Structures are given as C-alpha cells and as structure tokens.
Amino acid sequence: MSGTPDNNELFAVQQRLEDADAELAGTLAHLERLKIRRHDDLVLLNQLASPFLRLPPELICDIFICCLPPPRTLPSPRDAPLLLGQVCHQWRNIALSFPVLWSSICLAAVFAASHGNGLLALLDTWLERSGNSHLSLSIVLGSSENHRRSDLNQIMYETGRSSLFRKVRHSSYRWRELEVVRRLEDLPAIFQRDDPWHLPQLVKLTLLLSQGTRPQETSPGTLSNFTEAPALREVHLQGFSPRTLLLPWWQLTIIHTENLLPLEVLETLAQSTSLIDATFSLWPTQFFRLPSDLPVGRPSRLKSLSLFGEMITPILDFLYLPPFQCFSISFGPHNDLSHLIGFLLGHQLTTVSIDVRAVLPLNDLASLLLSLPHVETLSFGAHNGLMNGVLPHALCTNADLLPALRRLTVYERVDRYNEPPLDAAVVVNMLRARWATGLKSLCLVSTHVFREVHPGFFELAKEGMDIELRSHGSGPFLVVYFNTAQVH
C-alpha cells in the first residue's frame, strides 16, 4: 500500500460516515417519536386507569358543582366551570355536557359600560352552554361602579340600557331564581317596563337593598313586573311589603323579609293566603300607633312562623292565625312577656325556639315553660345561667313542665365569673329523669368550661341519648366538650 491516499477510498469513507450520520439522525428522530408516543400512551393509560374518570359522569358533575365559586361571584376563566374545562379533554367534555354547571350567572356591573364587553362575551358563553336549563341570576352592586346618580341616569335613560343588560333581560323566560342586591334608587331603572317581561319559570325572588335600609311608603307602581310570574313561590325581601312592591302575594308559600313595620307584617300575612313558612324581622318602632281597622290574615296552610326584633312581643296580640306547628321568636330586653305567654297558650305548638337577649327573671322563665305543654322540640336561649341548677331541678321534679319534650337545646349567654358554676351532676340527674319520660337529645351551648366531662354523660350516650356540650362560636372559636359520637 502506497503512502498516497486513494481518492476513491477517501470518498468511500466519507460516504460511510454520512450514511452513519443519516442513520443515526433517523434513529434519534425515531427515538424522539417513540418517546412522544410513549408519553401520550402513558397519559392515556393514566387517564383510562384514573379512578376519578371511572366514576359515572353524573357523579363527576356533582363534584364539579361543589367546585363552583360562591354566590355573587363574577364569571371568570380562573374559576369553575371554565377552569375545569382547561384540565383535560375528558373534563372539558363533562363540563360541556351538563348545562347545570352553567346555570348560575352573576352580574355586578350591569350599568358599567367600561366592563360590558368582557362580561358580554362571558355571558354569551354561559347562555350557550346552559342550553335550555333554568337560570339563577344575581345582579349585585359592583365594587368598581361609579355611585353617582347622574351616571346611572345617563346610562339608563339617555343612551338606553347596555347590551349586557338587554341580553340578560331577553333570557328572562328561563329565570328560575333572581337575586337583586342594589341601591334603592337603582331598582326603578332595572325594572322599568321598556320591554315586555316574561317570567313563566321564576320560582324564587331575592330583593335586598345594599344600604340596609327600607323603601318609603309610596305607590308600588314602579316595581310591578313580578305580578306576571305565575310560578313565583318564595321571596326574600328587605323592607318591601304589599305597600311598596306588587307581587302575587296570594300564591307565595315562603316569605322571608327584613326591616318591616308591625302594620306591614300584618298586611303581608293578610294577603299571603297560601303562606307556609314566614320569617319577619321587624324595624324598631312603637306598637301603640296601630290603626283600629287592622288587617286580619289567616293563611290556612301556615306551618312555620319566625319573628325577630327588639320590641316585638305586642304584635303577637294581633296575630289571628290558624293552628300551626313551628314558632321562633327572638327579642331584646324590656318586652312584656304576657303577650308571648298568651300567644303560646293559644296555639298547640310542637316546635318552639325562644331567644331572649336579656336576663330572664325566674318567674317569667317558669311561666314561659308552663305555656308549652305540647312542645316536643324546644330551643331556649337567654342571658342567664339556665343550667346552674334551677331549670334542671325543675325539669327533674315537675312532670307537668314540658311533658311532651323530646329534644332540648339550651343557649346560655352568661358571664361565668359572676354566676355560679354549672353543676354537671344536676344536669345528668335531670337527663336521667327525662330519659325515662321520652327525652331523646340535649344540646347545651354554654360559656361554661368543662374541665372534665361527668361520667354520667358517657353512660347516657351509651344508652342511646344524643348529647352535645359545646361553646359558643364557630370554626376555630368552637369547642366541643362532649358529643355522643365520641362514645361510638
């Protein structure tokens, strides 16, 4: 072999190197394709083997519903249900398959033109994906809204309603629930009759005033559109009564209202002939100005009545109600309990809740308890040490006191530094005596600190009585000293 390289041989070596490089590049590319295919197959395998995706789609939808943001939350891609559709293809398909996930719409800036475009696009998405399902609409006061009345007049009356609000209005035939939390002066602009109202599906109406006030006693002509809601059955109102809001009161079955005058409560009861569940919070006022020709209402289907306020017991003398089952009342100091005692004696109530935000004299306490011979479930609260000994001793020794009692809840709001300590042995003796006559459960909410739990509570729990001893408060402020579940 000569020392001079042969050109043909050099060319052959170079060609083999190029062929090797090309083969190696192809092999590497094939390896990358195999890696990608393996990754995709692994993802698919994990998805197919996922216990979550093996659940029925209906159950996954229920889980998705639990992920929805709280009420009065503006639609956002950072929240469910939009966020759920960004996780994977299967989740997106499930989210799009159930219109119920898109049936709640919150609009906080219906008057703000600067926010209208973004909300309008989201609203189109919600309305399209909700299909033909019922809608729950919330119109609340936006934190960024300009609160000047002149701006509202310009948007609502000079340039017309925004496209956002018009689109919402045109979906009114699908509304099942409507919540409006606005200023009082905004309501006529929202509910003006510039377009026909069509509310055939509306069942629940919430109308609250953002400033926590009440409307004046004026003509209700500006808020009259809800008379055209044949399915309306439940309302939650603040300050509105038949005097200030035209509703089909005769067909309502559930009414919860705040800030009413005593006369307005009587008028509401008189007109709501189908009422089943009523809750009234009374505006602070005197009762001595009631007219002589008071409205008398007897909603024949009434089952539950709740009254809250400060000076409210006098109104009980004017409630001519049919027999009903559940009664709840909460009031402050300086109320004449004779009105309450007379009312209780006149009705054979089975479930009663009495919350006295004051110290209750023992004679009044005894009179109240003696007026409840038919009560099976009693919740009682006062600023007394109710379980210090007097009440447990009376329940233990007097068989005529609450003879039908089955479930008892006691709320003590008392300064334990100025009251005798709770005697757990006396409470246990009372429970033993009442266990024999039918008492099934006791819930004691007290400021008393149970350093040790009396063994009698454990024994009664083992026998089947439901007992809970806890502090006031909730969350981190709640202390449960004893619960029957601890025994089991």
Side-chain angles (χ1 to χ4, degrees), residues 90-109:
Q90 286 82 358
W91 281 33
R92 177 178 174 83
N93 288 340
I94 294 175
L96 296 179
S97 300
F98 290 92
V100 67
L101 293 171
W102 311 88
S103 61
S104 296
I105 302 174
C106 174
L107 301 176

Side-chain angles (χ1 to χ4, degrees), residues 80-390:
L82 284 174
L83 183 63
L84 297 173
Q86 302 173 22
V87 175
C88 65
H89 180 69
Q90 286 82 358
W91 281 33
R92 177 178 174 83
N93 288 340
I94 294 175
L96 296 179
S97 300
F98 290 92
V100 67
L101 293 171
W102 311 88
S103 61
S104 296
I105 302 174
C106 174
L107 301 176
V110 292
F111 299 129
S114 60
H115 300 280
N117 294 332
L119 283 178
L120 188 60
L122 284 176
L123 180 60
D124 284 332
T125 300
W126 249 255
L127 292 177
E128 177 183 355
R129 296 181 179 180
S130 61
N132 294 322
S133 63
H134 295 139
L135 296 177
S136 297
L137 179 66
S138 179
I139 303 176
V140 300
L141 191 68
S143 59
S144 61
E145 282 191 57
N146 194 323
H147 285 224
R148 290 180 295 179
R149 181 64 183 173
S150 59
D151 292 345
L152 179 63
N153 283 330
Q154 181 179 2
I155 293 174
M156 297 303 296
Y157 296 113
E158 295 180 11
T159 62
R161 295 176 186 264
S162 66
S163 299
L164 177 68
F165 190 75
R166 287 189 178 276
K167 183 174 289 291
V168 171
R169 270 287 303 276
H170 292 160
S171 67
S172 62
Y173 68 96
R174 294 170 53 194
W175 295 356
R176 186 175 182 85
E177 297 183 12
L178 173 62
E179 178 190 42
V180 180
V181 184
R182 302 290 306 189
R183 296 164 302 196
L184 179 62
E185 61 268 24
D186 293 346
L187 299 184
I190 296 177
F191 298 121
Q192 63 173 303
R193 282 180 172 271
D194 56 341
D195 291 321
W197 284 75
H198 187 44
L199 303 168
Q201 307 292 335
L202 187 65
V203 174
K204 179 180 177 181
L205 170 67
T206 300
L207 192 57
L208 305 179
L209 303 178
S210 59
Q211 297 172 335
T213 181
R214 50 171 279 112
Q216 299 296 321
E217 299 182 22
T218 57
S219 171
T222 55
L223 298 179
S224 60
N225 300 296
F226 300 109
T227 56
E228 302 166 6
L232 186 63
R233 294 295 182 270
E234 180 178 353
V235 295
H236 295 248
L237 308 173
Q238 187 176 73
F240 290 99
S241 70
R243 291 189 172 194
T244 50
L245 180 63
L246 284 182
L247 289 176
W249 295 93
W250 59 89
Q251 70 187 35
L252 300 180
T253 58
I254 300 175
I255 297 178
H256 291 191
T257 64
E258 302 176 23
N259 298 348
L260 285 192
L261 299 174
L263 181 58
E264 292 173 330
V265 172
L266 300 178
E267 291 174 341
T268 303
L269 288 172
Q271 296 197 25
S272 306
T273 54
S274 301
L275 191 58
I276 296 176
D277 181 359
T279 300
F280 299 106
S281 174
L282 277 72
W283 187 264
T285 184
Q286 297 293 332
F287 286 84
F288 306 106
R289 300 178 181 177
L290 293 175
S292 57
D293 54 339
L294 290 174
V296 178
R298 292 182 62 87
S300 59
R301 301 171 58 193
L302 185 67
K303 293 183 179 180
S304 176
L305 173 65
S306 300
L307 298 173
F308 302 92
E310 290 301 319
M311 293 289 296
I312 64 174
T313 56
I315 197 176
L316 298 173
D317 292 342
F318 303 95
L319 297 181
Y320 306 106
L321 300 173
F324 64 102
Q325 301 170 352
C326 304
F327 176 65
S328 178
I329 188 169
S330 176
F331 54 87
H334 311 303
N335 276 265
D336 187 350
L337 294 185
S338 63
H339 305 291
L340 175 58
I341 294 172
F343 180 83
L344 296 175
L345 289 173
H347 296 82
Q348 297 183 3
L349 301 166
T350 58
T351 302
V352 173
S353 174
I354 301 176
D355 180 25
V356 183
R357 298 188 300 275
V359 175
L360 194 62
L362 294 180
N363 291 337
D364 291 339
L365 173 61
S367 299
L368 279 177
L369 298 181
L370 287 171
S371 64
L372 300 170
H374 304 283
V375 166
E376 299 178 5
T377 301
L378 174 63
S379 176
F380 198 91
H383 288 195
N384 295 55
L386 297 174
M387 303 300 280
N388 282 348
V390 177

Side-chain angles (χ1 to χ4, degrees), residues 442 444 450 453 457 467-471 479-483:
L442 168 72
L444 174 58
F450 291 85
V453 178
F457 292 119
I467 302 174
E468 183 178 29
L469 310 175
R470 63 180 178 88
S471 68
V479 179
V480 178
Y481 301 106
F482 179 80
N483 191 298

